């Protein structure tokens, strides 16, 4: 991966300090100041000097805490993922897994519309797969998808389903934010959500259909709970199920 580009205010990048209680308080103050600048004036306003001034610090303190401007922006994005994670509701056994999927999609879009500048920072660039909060959020999403698969309601592969759900939610928010106020039609969001649901799910369990792909996805979703098979047998069965599921 090529090194990240540095702005002029990042030329003196240093390794961040090890965390301590007082440093963590200062660090959070800086993150809050950066989010305020981001919200009021956009990403270009988030310079190390401006953030330092807003937080009542000298610019070198930013380098000691975050390494450089990119490190600061990564910390702001991580704060956003943690705030988003706090809005998620997890039902381990929803009565209707498709409605649960709709509700999760709505939560993501509502967060993005409520925090447009932060959401854009979080999702407009490359996915921050090292973010602990992002990983936790993905586990929630994958849990929803596995429940759909286990019930024979998943129309596509689990990984593809996750990508479609993410793409439609992000696209809905970013498209909405790009539109003038007088062209923002709520039907756009509802239509995109229903397109996602139609593409990803079966309205009736796939086991009732003649094709084997849906049944393979359902069995594959339950495979990690299977204890009667050896690891080699599970691996072989998973390979067969992956082939069958891909044919759907």
């Amino acid at each position: 991966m090529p090194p990240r580009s540095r702005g002029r205010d990042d030329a003196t990048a240093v390794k961040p300090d090890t965390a301590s209680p007082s440093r963590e308080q200062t660090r959070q103050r800086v993150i809050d100041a950066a989010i305020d600048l981001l919200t009021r004036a956009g990403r270009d306003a988030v310079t190390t000097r401006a953030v330092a001034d807003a937080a009542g610090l000298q610019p070198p303190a930013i380098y000691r805490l975050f390494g450089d401007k990119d490190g600061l922006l990564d910390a702001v994005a991580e704060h956003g993922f943690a705030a988003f994670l706090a809005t998620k509701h997890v039902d381990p056994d929803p009565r209707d897994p498709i409605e649960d999927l709709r509700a999760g999609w709505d939560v993501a879009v509502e967060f993005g519309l409520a925090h447009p500048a932060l959401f854009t920072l979080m999702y407009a660039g490359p996915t921050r797969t090292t973010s602990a909060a992002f990983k936790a959020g993905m586990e929630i999403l994958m849990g929803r998808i596995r429940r759909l698969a286990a019930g024979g309601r998943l129309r596509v592969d689990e990984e593809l389903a996750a990508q479609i759900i993410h793409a439609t939610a992000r696209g809905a928010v970013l498209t909405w934010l790009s539109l003038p106020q007088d062209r923002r039609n709520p039907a756009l969001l509802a239509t995109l959500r229903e397109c996602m649901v139609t593409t990803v799910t079966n309205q009736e369990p796939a086991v009732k259909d003649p094709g084997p792909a849906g049944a393979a996805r359902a069995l594959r979703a339950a495979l990690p709970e299977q204890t009667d098979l050896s690891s080699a047998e599970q691996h072989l069965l998973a390979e067969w199920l992956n082939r069958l599921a891909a044919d759907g």
Side-chain angles (χ1 to χ4, degrees):
M1 180 181 293
R4 294 181 297 188
S5 59
R6 308 297 187 192
R8 283 179 294 178
D9 61 341
D10 296 329
T12 57
V14 297
K15 185 177 180 180
D17 280 348
T18 302
S20 69
S22 62
R23 288 195 183 96
E24 279 302 303
Q25 292 176 1
T26 303
R27 191 174 184 275
Q28 188 58 52
R29 190 165 85 243
V30 172
I31 291 172
D32 291 341
I35 291 174
D36 182 62
L37 281 169
L38 180 69
T39 301
R40 289 189 294 106
R43 181 167 178 160
D44 290 344
V46 185
T47 65
T48 51
R49 181 171 297 279
V51 173
D53 288 344
L57 301 170
Q58 294 298 315
I62 306 295
Y63 302 127
R64 289 195 297 270
L65 289 166
F66 301 97
D68 56 17
K69 179 181 175 181
D70 286 333
L72 171 60
L73 291 176
D74 284 345
V76 170
E78 176 68 12
H79 179 89
F81 284 123
F84 177 37
L85 182 62
T87 68
K88 289 177 176 283
H89 170 69
V90 181
D91 184 349
D93 187 22
R95 183 168 58 181
D96 186 335
I98 294 181
E99 282 304 311
D100 187 55
L101 176 64
R102 282 191 177 96
W105 194 93
D106 285 344
V107 166
V109 171
E110 288 165 6
F111 180 87
L113 299 183
H115 308 278
L118 183 57
F119 186 91
T120 300
L121 175 65
M122 291 161 57
Y123 288 114
T127 302
R128 290 173 164 84
T129 55
T130 58
S131 161
F134 177 82
K135 290 178 180 178
M138 280 299 299
E139 278 301 310
I140 293 174
L141 174 60
M142 295 310 297
R144 286 191 169 103
I145 292 172
R146 289 186 196 106
R147 284 189 289 275
L148 287 165
R153 307 296 288 273
L154 192 64
R155 184 186 293 272
V156 298
D157 182 79
E158 291 182 25
E159 180 63 26
L160 179 58
Q163 292 173 359
I164 292 170
I165 295 164
H166 265 294
T168 52
R170 294 183 198 182
V173 173
L174 296 177
T175 299
W176 181 274
L177 296 176
S178 73
L179 294 172
Q181 290 281 352
D182 61 353
R183 294 184 58 198
R184 293 179 176 179
N185 185 347
L188 170 67
L189 305 180
T191 301
L192 285 172
R193 182 191 63 200
E194 293 312 303
C195 287
M196 176 276 295
V197 170
T198 300
T199 301
V200 168
T201 69
N202 297 304
Q203 293 303 307
E204 295 295 332
V207 292
K208 295 182 179 179
D209 296 336
R217 294 187 190 106
L219 181 56
R220 185 177 59 185
L223 188 59
E225 301 176 3
Q226 172 60 250
T227 58
D228 294 334
L229 301 177
S230 69
S231 59
E233 289 169 335
Q234 287 196 44
H235 179 79
L236 183 58
L237 178 57
E239 183 177 344
W240 290 340
L241 292 174
N242 285 339
R243 291 182 187 176
L244 289 171
D247 290 338

